[in-house]
Amino acid sequence: MTFVVIGTPGDRRPALLAAACRSSGLPEPRLVPWTDVLRGAEIPLRPGDLLRIDSPGEDPEADALLRGPGHPARVGGGATWYRTFTAALKRIDASASRAGARLLGDVEEIAVMFDKRRTHARLLAAGVPVPPAP
């Protein structure tokens, strides 16, 4: 069993997973940078790999690739960011399926987590108290 993480080098999330693997006697996870995925690079997966998708985090280069052209100081990711992110999730899912790797999270659920309106609606429908939406 080998963990593969789509994440950001130097970010705390992949570092914490690596530490947990080491302390459990498991091999070091392979890290695939979000920047590689967003540039369309092949995702190196093998049969039986366990694939974790972390947030692109605070990586300015990944953020620029997600946002697309425009002034880098504009606020929020917006529709372009989300569209690029969800397209990358679909590519990751397809790569995992082709390779026989197992995703540790559902890409559709991850897409919902990154869309505040959909998350709000999903929580409300499940009976979770949420503040009124504007």
Side-chain angles (χ1 to χ4, degrees):
M1 166 178 70
T2 301
F3 282 103
V4 178
V5 180
I6 308 284
T8 300
D11 189 74
R12 67 181 169 78
R13 292 173 189 93
L16 289 170
L17 178 62
C21 287
R22 281 190 303 274
S23 72
S24 298
L26 297 172
E28 187 88 10
R30 292 192 328 265
L31 178 65
V32 178
W34 263 109
T35 51
D36 290 356
V37 172
L38 294 168
R39 286 191 181 100
E42 188 64 32
I43 302 167
L45 297 170
R46 298 185 292 246
D49 281 347
L50 299 175
L51 178 59
R52 174 178 154 151
I53 302 172
D54 280 347
S55 168
E58 305 287 324
D59 181 0
E61 191 176 353
D63 188 59
L65 291 166
L66 287 161
R67 287 172 180 253
H71 193 279
R74 66 191 182 275
V75 175
T80 300
W81 190 102
Y82 188 75
R83 190 172 40 256
T84 305
F85 179 69
T86 55
L89 289 176
K90 288 176 187 171
R91 269 191 355 91
I92 293 166
D93 189 33
S95 291
S97 292
R98 280 193 307 276
R102 190 174 114 210
L103 279 165
L104 298 177
D106 181 283
V107 296
E108 292 298 322
E109 294 297 321
I110 294 169
V112 170
M113 289 189 299
F114 278 83
D115 182 323
K116 289 182 181 183
R117 289 175 294 195
R118 288 178 66 196
T119 298
H120 189 275
R122 179 86 49 98
L123 291 171
L124 190 62
V128 176
V130 294

